[in-house]
Amino acid sequence: DVEEEDDVEVGEDVGVAWFPPPVEVAVAVVEKMNVAAILRTDSYFSYEDEDDLINDAAQYFARYLHDTWRNDANAALRAHAATVEAEGGDPINTTPLSVMLIFISVQDRVCFISTGSSMSIILPWWRLEHVVSNMKPDLRRGKYGDAILHA
């Protein structure tokens, strides 16, 4: 059993409850994607359906932003912790952050949510599809802030 005075680290399995690592959420909204530039690296694919092309571009771009942000955030966290410890401060928890990015391209009429593997237990793909479906009425009305708040 965990006593009240026991120190419990974020993300630590204490036998009673599991405390997930902190989650950061970002939202990226663009007017329109440059689909050709985004998919330039995947030019060997041919698309019969423009919707597939746009969906793949949104997924690729969202994952690129997500991975870049996650890597930069975790590197900054580790650097900050090392600086604090070098200056004699208390150790800082450097459990990697879980990040989620909501990407919306307005004119392309597409929304994609990118999460890391640590989030897939809480938010599997089918839940993310449900979240996006629930956002669609607000997105169609141009109420992007409401769509994000209701996500």
Side-chain angles (χ1 to χ4, degrees):
D1 290 339
V2 176
E3 300 294 326
E4 281 188 35
E5 58 269 11
D6 289 345
D7 289 330
V8 177
E9 293 293 321
V10 174
E12 179 180 357
D13 182 359
V14 295
V16 176
W18 181 76
F19 297 96
V23 176
E24 289 190 3
V25 179
V27 178
V29 180
V30 299
E31 189 66 30
K32 182 165 179 53
M33 293 183 290
N34 183 342
V35 175
I38 293 169
L39 294 179
R40 187 171 295 137
T41 59
D42 293 336
S43 60
Y44 55 89
F45 289 114
S46 63
Y47 294 92
E48 294 179 17
D49 185 352
E50 187 177 349
D51 287 343
D52 287 342
L53 176 78
I54 290 170
N55 287 333
D56 280 1
Q59 180 177 345
Y60 177 85
F61 189 61
R63 286 193 173 148
Y64 173 80
L65 286 176
H66 172 261
D67 291 345
T68 302
W69 168 46
R70 181 196 65 223
N71 293 340
D72 289 352
N74 285 323
L77 177 64
R78 287 189 305 274
H80 176 67
T83 301
V84 167
E85 287 184 41
E87 293 173 353
D90 292 333
I92 294 177
N93 181 0
T94 57
T95 301
L97 298 172
S98 294
V99 298
M100 177 173 69
L101 180 116
I102 301 172
F103 175 72
I104 299 170
S105 179
V106 175
Q107 288 183 16
D108 295 306
R109 300 176 54 87
V110 65
C111 177
F112 184 82
I113 300 175
S114 179
T115 63
S117 57
S118 63
M119 296 277 297
S120 64
I121 295 168
I122 301 165
L123 291 170
W125 65 268
W126 53 270
R127 278 198 176 151
L128 293 173
E129 284 187 359
H130 185 71
V131 168
V132 171
S133 292
N134 287 341
M135 292 172 68
K136 285 183 180 180
D138 287 327
L139 292 172
R140 287 186 183 118
R141 289 192 301 270
K143 306 236 180 225
Y144 307 109
D146 289 344
I148 292 162
L149 289 174
H150 296 129

